[in-house]
């Protein structure tokens, strides 16, 4: 009986550590999946938080996820969380993935933007690129004349198609990757638009109108 109790305790601790790791990867604001009360009735599931745009005065016209598609390339934004660059959340992400304190374009970031995305290849060719290519194809814009810049996860930069922190990708026809991509930003917030520059036309969706 003693051995059985010890095994249960160890298993419980392992499960808790695994849950915490997933929670941090998904972002601090992960919604609850609900629970079962003492009466045996399952509680109502709390909504999953997909963004914190309201914190910056941005009122959404549409909810996430948002998908843009052009000529066989599909990009879906599932989640976007904006943090002060000096916040504890960002320090944890830097420790986990090796994000630096600046980029070649933005040397003094004000914000760190953590996104969950899916990139799907429905074309007839292999797509190879990096976080910089994703920013070029689908830039995220919050104010006219300003830019966001993808920041590379040093510890994962050599891993292709990483599901934890995306940088380099290699997608054959029919393949897709869901992962997390970080950006830095150094300006204010007036709106939020995603534009896809792929092929002969530009596809755009204003999550927060101008």
């Amino acid at each position: 009986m003693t051995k059985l109790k010890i095994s249960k305790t160890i298993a419980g601790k392992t499960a808790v550590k695994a849950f915490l790791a997933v929670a941090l990867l998904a972002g601090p604001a992960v919604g609850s999946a609900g629970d079962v009360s003492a009466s045996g009735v399952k509680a109502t599931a709390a909504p999953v938080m997909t963004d914190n745009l309201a914190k910056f005065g941005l009122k959404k016209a549409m909810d996430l996820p948002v998908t843009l598609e052009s000529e066989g390339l599909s990009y879906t934004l599932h989640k976007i969380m904006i943090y002060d660059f000096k916040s504890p959340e960002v320090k944890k992400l830097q420790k986990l993935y090796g994000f630096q304190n600046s980029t070649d374009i933005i040397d003094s970031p004000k914000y760190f933007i953590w996104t969950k995305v899916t990139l799907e290849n429905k074309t007839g060719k292999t797509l190879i690129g990096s976080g910089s290519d994703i920013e070029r194809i689908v830039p995220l814009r919050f104010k006219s004349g300003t830019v966001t810049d993808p920041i590379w996860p040093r510890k994962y930069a050599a891993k292709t198609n990483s599901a934890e922190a995306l940088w380099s990708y290699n997608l054959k026809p029919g393949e897709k990757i869901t992962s997390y991509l970080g950006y830095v930003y150094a300006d204010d917030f007036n709106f939020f638009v995603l534009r896809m520059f792929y092929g002969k036309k530009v596809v755009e969706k204003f999550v927060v109108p101008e």
Side-chain angles (χ1 to χ4, degrees):
M1 293 299 291
T2 303
K3 291 184 179 180
L4 180 60
K5 289 182 178 180
I6 292 174
S7 298
K8 287 184 176 180
T9 301
I10 294 173
K13 289 182 179 179
T14 302
V16 170
K17 288 182 180 179
F19 172 78
L20 291 175
V22 172
L24 179 58
L25 179 63
V30 177
S32 170
D35 200 353
V36 179
S37 66
S39 63
V41 179
K42 188 173 182 179
T44 302
V48 175
M49 187 174 183
T50 59
D51 66 86
N52 63 346
L53 298 173
K55 180 179 178 180
F56 302 91
L58 299 174
K59 187 176 180 179
K60 291 183 296 182
M62 61 180 70
D63 291 324
L64 301 183
V66 171
T67 299
L68 302 179
E69 186 170 336
S70 179
E71 298 188 16
L73 176 63
S74 176
Y75 168 96
T76 299
L77 178 67
H78 299 279
K79 182 173 183 176
I80 179 167
M81 300 297 291
I82 304 170
Y83 302 111
D84 184 287
F85 197 80
K86 297 180 180 180
S87 67
E89 290 87 354
V90 174
K91 292 186 184 303
K92 290 177 183 177
L93 291 170
Q94 287 179 312
K95 184 177 180 179
L96 276 173
Y97 305 119
F99 292 116
Q100 304 300 293
N101 291 319
S102 64
T103 66
D104 291 339
I105 295 177
I106 300 177
D107 58 2
S108 298
K110 186 176 180 181
Y111 300 104
F112 183 96
I113 301 171
W114 190 225
T115 65
K116 180 181 180 182
V117 304
T118 294
L119 199 64
E120 183 172 3
N121 182 7
K122 301 178 183 179
T123 73
K125 58 186 178 182
T126 298
L127 300 179
I128 300 173
S130 67
S132 295
D133 293 297
I134 295 175
E135 161 62 15
R136 176 179 54 81
I137 297 170
V138 187
L140 310 181
R141 296 293 180 262
F142 296 95
K143 182 180 179 181
S144 297
T146 65
V147 298
T148 56
D149 195 31
I151 185 166
W152 71 300
R154 179 176 51 81
K155 294 181 180 180
Y156 285 75
K159 295 186 178 182
T160 302
N161 296 346
S162 170
E164 296 185 53
L166 184 63
W167 191 252
S168 63
Y169 61 88
N170 186 324
L171 299 176
K172 296 178 182 179
E175 290 186 336
K176 63 181 178 180
I177 178 70
T178 296
S179 188
Y180 298 82
L181 183 63
Y183 298 81
V184 292
Y185 186 59
D187 218 294
D188 300 322
F189 301 91
N190 290 345
F191 55 81
F192 177 35
V193 60
L194 296 88
R195 294 188 175 97
M196 174 175 276
F197 296 89
Y198 187 80
K200 298 179 180 179
K201 64 179 181 179
V202 178
V203 180
E204 70 175 19
K205 289 188 179 180
F206 276 87
V207 178
V208 177
E210 293 182 276

